[in-house]
Amino acid sequence: MSPKNVIFKKTCKDKSVGVFMGKRDFVDNVDSVDPVDGVVLVDPEALAGRKVFVTLSCIFRYGRDDMDVMGIAFRRELFLSTRQVYPPLQDREKGVHTRIQAKLLRKLGNNAYPFFFEFPDNLPCSVALQPATHDEGKQCAVEFEIKAFSAESQDAKVRKRSTVKLMLRKVQYATEDQGTPPSVELTKDFVMSDKPLHVKASLDKELYYHGETIVVHVNVENNSNKNIKNIVVSVDQVANVVLYSNDNYVKCVDLEESGDSVSPGASLEKVYKLLPLLANNRERRGIVLDGKLKHEDTNLASSSMIKEGVLKEVMGIIVSYRVMVKLIIGGMMGSSEVGLEVPFRLMHPKPDAVKDSEMEDEMVFQEFKRSYLKGVIGDDEDEEGNVSGGDDMAPKEK
């Protein structure tokens, strides 16, 4: 069966403007990013002479909007681009860049107008910090949004009833390059010990997919006179918030305390298996997650890939992963640790591309009604007027 042409639609309260888009996930291929395209359907009578504009924005939010301190808002606009779509500044045909736009224009009629944006190459991907269960309001996140509105001019005051917003998501998928399986070795000398302790930790590959078991090979040659009481193997998520503070946040997302011991002069060779999943970390505040749409489930944030030459300071939150192998060593003055860090990537595989020729000709329109979603705190007030306007602007079957 051919894949369906799912079209996301949303209409403002006064029904003057509606937005139609063929997708809401846009892939960052590091050297290029999928352009954002769609169609706006207008009602000239409801507009009453007002113009229609569409904006694409990227916002880094690091606090609730109502927590301004001394006039400083806890959000920063990383990118904003605006287009006037009605009255059109060029012929409709010149604004059509994709096949789905052309199909939508044929379906929606003469009051539909295309819009098209290209992402710059220095924007972060959609990520969010997991809030605590008692946290309310907006979470710390990098968010992308398409907003269509009608107004007398671009700088005029915009009425919420005449505005419609759709959250987008900028995502990265794993490249075909699997990388070299990482391996780290450490030799540790001790006072009062003639011979050293040698530890080697390695992974069977450098790139793992979400939900895949991470296999850690640990080899210990304890030629010292120290007793290794325990071996702890964990997966750490490292989030570098580079935009405003350059802080590093390290969160353990899976852990195995093996209880393995290695006496002086002995050796150990063992394989440990770890599985970092959001399902096991839902109560952990501050863990970075991939962005999500319509409040569906998501996963631990994917590793960040950054184009060479791009300033990291504008990337918002940079995420990386590492396996930590810690050897707990006993001694007369108490225990000490010897540790190794083995970096790896955690990502989604790139989905198979669907050719236009394989898509069904019939388009399926999916209403996006955020106000219908249960358990959403704070979004309805923030997005007043952005629920769908019902079927008044729905395309009629031809």
Side-chain angles (χ1 to χ4, degrees):
M1 185 175 179
S2 300
K4 293 184 180 298
N5 268 329
V6 176
I7 303 298
F8 301 97
K9 70 169 183 174
K10 200 172 180 184
T11 308
C12 63
K13 269 191 174 180
D14 67 8
K15 301 180 178 64
S16 62
V17 181
V19 175
F20 296 77
M21 300 184 68
K23 62 180 181 179
R24 300 178 68 189
D25 279 351
F26 297 87
V27 180
D28 181 350
N29 299 301
V30 181
D31 55 348
S32 65
V33 186
D34 290 350
V36 177
D37 63 284
V39 166
V40 169
L41 181 63
V42 304
D43 183 341
E45 290 187 12
L47 287 175
R50 298 191 304 271
K51 299 177 180 179
V52 177
F53 303 89
V54 179
T55 64
L56 171 65
S57 61
C58 173
I59 298 168
F60 181 79
R61 191 189 307 276
Y62 44 102
R64 289 167 51 188
D65 289 342
D66 60 354
M67 291 178 60
D68 292 0
V69 177
M70 298 179 64
I72 302 174
F74 281 74
R75 53 177 279 162
R76 183 178 299 182
E77 212 164 60
L78 302 181
F79 174 76
L80 177 66
S81 182
T82 305
R83 304 274 192 273
Q84 178 180 320
V85 295
Y86 179 84
L89 301 179
Q90 61 178 1
D91 294 338
R92 283 206 319 171
E93 291 70 22
K94 291 184 179 179
V96 176
H97 293 79
T98 64
R99 178 174 175 265
I100 199 69
Q101 281 181 313
K103 291 183 66 175
L104 280 169
L105 291 178
R106 290 194 298 269
K107 183 83 171 178
L108 299 176
N110 294 331
N111 289 328
Y113 299 89
F115 63 84
F116 186 84
F117 294 93
E118 290 187 297
F119 282 111
D121 62 2
N122 61 346
L123 292 180
C125 287
S126 300
V127 293
L129 265 63
Q130 179 166 260
T133 53
H134 61 272
D135 286 346
E136 296 184 1
K138 296 287 187 178
Q139 62 199 108
C140 178
V142 175
E143 298 175 339
F144 291 86
E145 179 184 82
I146 278 285
K147 179 174 76 171
F149 61 94
S150 61
E152 283 71 21
S153 67
Q154 180 177 330
D155 300 322
K157 185 177 180 179
V158 180
R159 299 182 302 178
K160 287 187 176 181
R161 290 180 57 84
S162 304
T163 305
V164 57
K165 300 177 183 177
L166 273 83
M167 299 299 295
L168 309 180
R169 184 166 52 185
K170 181 169 172 282
V171 297
Q172 286 181 328
Y173 294 118
T175 59
E176 294 182 359
D177 177 21
Q178 293 292 313
T180 303
S183 177
V184 177
E185 296 185 56
L186 174 67
T187 299
K188 177 71 174 178
D189 291 301
F190 298 97
V191 178
M192 308 295 292
S193 178
D194 294 335
K195 295 182 179 180
L197 164 68
H198 184 78
V199 187
K200 180 180 179 180
S202 61
L203 308 181
D204 56 351
K205 54 185 179 177
E206 188 264 344
L207 171 64
Y208 288 88
Y209 297 138
H210 290 284
E212 191 174 3
T213 300
I214 298 170
V215 180
V216 187
H217 302 266
V218 177
N219 192 322
V220 180
E221 295 181 10
N222 186 15
N223 296 317
S224 71
N225 58 6
K226 299 292 184 180
N227 180 43
I228 298 172
K229 301 192 301 180
N230 192 10
I231 297 177
V232 180
V233 184
S234 64
V235 174
D236 288 348
Q237 180 194 75
V238 182
N240 188 6
V241 183
V242 295
L243 185 64
Y244 66 94
S245 64
N246 206 30
D247 290 339
N248 273 329
Y249 299 94
V250 180
K251 299 285 185 178
C252 175
V253 291
D254 197 24
L255 174 73
E256 180 180 344
E257 293 195 52
S258 66
D260 292 330
S261 61
V262 186
S263 57
S267 62
L268 172 72
E269 189 171 346
K270 187 174 178 179
V271 174
Y272 299 90
K273 294 183 178 181
L274 298 166
L275 183 58
L277 292 173
L278 174 58
N280 301 326
N281 293 278
R282 291 197 183 277
E283 305 301 320
R284 301 285 306 284
R285 180 180 184 178
I287 287 178
V288 186
L289 312 178
D290 272 342
K292 57 183 179 180
L293 299 174
K294 295 179 67 174
H295 299 268
E296 84 278 19
D297 204 9
T298 184
N299 48 261
L300 297 173
S302 298
S303 300
S304 302
M305 297 189 299
I306 302 173
K307 183 178 180 179
E308 188 175 351
V310 171
L311 293 175
K312 292 184 178 181
E313 286 73 15
V314 299
M315 297 307 294
I317 302 174
I318 299 175
V319 179
S320 60
Y321 289 89
R322 67 190 186 193
V323 167
M324 289 291 300
V325 178
K326 292 182 180 179
L327 277 60
I328 312 302
I329 299 172
M332 296 179 59
M333 303 299 292
S335 299
S336 60
E337 292 183 359
V338 172
L340 293 84
E341 299 181 10
V342 188
F344 69 96
R345 287 183 294 155
L346 182 65
M347 303 190 76
H348 284 293
K350 190 170 184 176
D352 295 333
V354 179
K355 297 179 181 178
D356 286 345
S357 59
E358 297 175 352
M359 296 293 291
E360 286 187 358
D361 290 333
E362 185 64 30
M363 291 183 288
V364 178
F365 290 84
Q366 178 177 316
E367 206 100 32
F368 182 72
K369 298 186 178 182
R370 186 183 294 265
S371 64
Y372 289 179
L373 297 168
K374 304 294 184 183
V376 180
I377 300 174
D379 278 355
D380 287 345
E381 180 182 353
D382 182 62
E383 298 207 355
E384 179 188 344
N386 296 328
V387 295
S388 172
D391 295 331
D392 291 24
M393 295 188 71
K396 303 296 187 293
E397 293 298 329
K398 295 183 178 179

